[in-house]
Amino acid sequence: MTRHRFFTRFYLGFIFVFLYLPLLVLIVYSFNQSRYSTNWTGWTLHWYRSLWDNTLLLDAAVNSLIVAGISSVTATAIGTLAAVAFYRYRFIGRKVLYSLVYVVMMSPDIVMGISLLIFFMLVGLPIGFQTLLLSHITFCLPFVVVTVYARISGFDPRVIEAARDLGAGEFQTFRYILLPLLMPAVVSGWLLSFTLSLDDVIVSFFVTGPTFEILPLKIYSMVRLGVKPEVNALSTVLFGFTLIMVTLSQLLVKERKR
Amino acid sequence: MSRAVVQLQHITKTYDGLAAVDDLSLEVFAGEFLTLLGPSGCGKTTILRLIAGFEAPDRGDIRIDDVRVNALPPNRRDVNTVFQSYALFPHMNVFDNVAFGLKLKGLQRNAVAERVRDVLEMVQLGGMETRRVTQLSGGQQQRVAFARAVVNEPLVLLLDEPLSALDYRLRKEMQLELKRLHRQLGITFIFVTHDQEEAITMSDRIIVMNQGRVEQSGSPKQIYEEPANLFVARFVGEINTFDGSVEAAGADWLTVRIHGTDFRLVNKRGFRSGDPVKVLLRPEDLQIQKTEPADGKPSLAGAVEELIYKGSTVDVIVRLTDGKPVYVTEFFNENAAYIFYERGQKVWLRWIDRWEVVLPDA
Ligand SMILES: Nc1ncnc2c1ncn2[C@@H]1O[C@H](COP(=O)(O)OP(=O)(O)OP(=O)(O)O)[C@@H](O)[C@H]1O
Ligand SMILES: [Mg+2]
């Protein structure tokens, strides 16, 4: 009994160390005085200060947040409606369309990036903010559809019929029955989109240009010249941000449940 | 006869080429408690779904309150449904579930609260307003489902086997309660069940269905005592079926030979001499005599094979001399506080004149 428990504890601990030790190292080293990140010379907030002064980097961060914010909200809205449509209506090509959602999700980022680039060139859209936003919406969309659809297909269809029976039109059924019941899936779909958009490198690499720089690409170009402690500081800030987001969304879902 | 609130006119509904409802017509009258009774898969649920508007008929017309509603969506029909699975809104509490329909109608907040409170009181859920529906027992969920539907005061209430998920005792209790609520509310009920006992207990009128068609429509008494055909006779209650042939017939009498014995019966269906018939007798209509009747009236001779004690009754299986088993139910009463037969004991069966049902041998 106790040995068994000891083993499970140990195992769990091991997994957490495996997952979080690299992050921890990164966080600790963001406070390191040394310019060369491998040897420890003492605590400092210097890199955070210099990060704050690095307007190029900050601009890129703001751009990233803007793109992630808009694209995740848009993808969530479209994706939720799409999932509801897949569930509620029987139309020709429904199955094919749903399979295509998976195709988009599974296709390698590099293929996605190149094909989007070619598409934008064909329609004559200049590479920049618009194209980046469109691309992010595109690759986030399937994740929302799949997340929401998974939940909706577990519903008792009679519940929706009951709403109709009691006098609710299509919109009211969506607003008062479907949406509240789908909320946890919608929130997690949105969160997934937000993080996917925030840390995308490969697709973004193809579909944005110097007119609109985003954080992952900026970091990528910085580390090609060696990892500066500034990057550590930035990553720590980003990590903290993600942590707050996740906690917030979990709380939101909990709140709904009660 | 009062006004017809729902009319189905030559309705056909097919799924994948198979008819679930087959050229069926029926009328539902204002204020009645109508039960659709039939075996599993005979199309009862489909009829309710057609009336509610969840399905559209392939052929035929549906009229509610004399208006053709074929193309009207469910939210615009003045009927409400109590679903078999209850289908309560899991994210809402009891109050919000019941108030849903009223809020959609745009009723004032105070009026909604008052109506909901009254209805919850009526179904004995007063004070439960803020409970989550997922935390209620089956019987309580059933009451919420009922309250949620009747609070809208629909023209017709559709109930699809609402009691089938409840245990025996609760079910009996809810049967009586539904009857009471029906009387109290004055709403027309269309109730679906495949339990014939339940149908007989509760209904003003029963429609017996089979394979998407109506077999018989009538009061519980008519259905039980004068089944229109063999299907109804066999589906509703236990019944003994005897093969017979008409030996002689007049305008209102006929002589039928059953297992070698001639019986003089009432001719209600214009049978003629030579017609093959089925003579049907309920177990409780048969009487067991321990000695051969001396009055010279005909009887069927046999031997007791089995006694089954049922509490208030005793079921006796009698095997006729030619081998056919017959079921007889005897009641305990002041004349028969004690019922006993030896296995193998010789007995004679007869019944009160006119209590038999004679049907053509299909
Ligand atoms: N959505 C559907 N798709 C295909 N077939 C269906 C559908 N709904 C009903 N059916 C078929 O129609 C017939 C009648 O079904 P229905 O549900 O009306 O029966 P029921 O009398 O309510 O039976 P039960 O007592 O088992 O509930 C059945 O043969 C059933 O298989
Ligand atoms: Mg059914």
Side-chain angles (χ1 to χ4, degrees), chain B residues 269-336:
Chain B
R269 293 171 168 252
F271 290 112
R272 299 220 212 103
S273 182
D275 287 348
V277 293
K278 296 266 190 206
V279 177
L280 310 176
L281 282 157
R282 299 269 174 209
E284 65 272 20
D285 293 346
L286 285 164
Q287 297 167 338
I288 299 179
Q289 317 246 311
K290 293 188 175 181
T291 54
E292 183 155 17
D295 56 8
K297 285 198 180 158
S299 59
L300 296 166
V304 173
E305 181 165 296
E306 195 77 65
L307 278 180
I308 301 150
Y309 177 72
K310 287 272 181 75
S312 60
T313 62
V314 172
D315 286 358
V316 186
I317 303 175
V318 174
R319 200 167 280 278
L320 299 185
T321 34
D322 61 359
K324 181 184 170 61
V326 178
Y327 295 82
V328 184
T329 300
E330 298 229 312
F331 293 85
F332 293 105
N333 58 35
E334 65 272 19
N335 300 324

Side-chain angles (χ1 to χ4, degrees), chain B residues 45 84 160-161:
Chain B
T45 298
Q84 183 171 0
D160 192 357
E161 307 204 25

Side-chain angles (χ1 to χ4, degrees), chain B residues 39-46 48-49 84 160-161 192-194:
Chain B
S40 188
C42 73
K44 305 180 295 288
T45 298
T46 307
L48 290 196
R49 294 177 60 78
Q84 183 171 0
D160 192 357
E161 307 204 25
V192 159
T193 182
H194 58 247

Side-chain angles (χ1 to χ4, degrees), chain B residues 14-80:
Chain B
T14 56
Y15 291 110
D16 314 319
L18 286 173
V21 175
D22 190 3
D23 191 29
L24 177 142
S25 299
L26 64 81
E27 291 197 322
V28 186
F29 301 103
E32 76 173 333
F33 193 126
L34 175 73
T35 296
L36 301 178
L37 175 66
S40 188
C42 73
K44 305 180 295 288
T45 298
T46 307
I47 290 181
L48 290 196
R49 294 177 60 78
L50 285 162
I51 297 173
F54 302 128
E55 307 279 352
D58 298 338
R59 269 193 303 282
D61 282 337
I62 302 174
R63 306 176 77 85
I64 297 176
D65 212 12
D66 252 333
V67 181
R68 186 173 175 277
V69 295
N70 286 34
L72 220 56
N75 49 322
R76 297 187 40 214
R77 298 188 185 195
D78 195 8
V79 300
N80 285 121

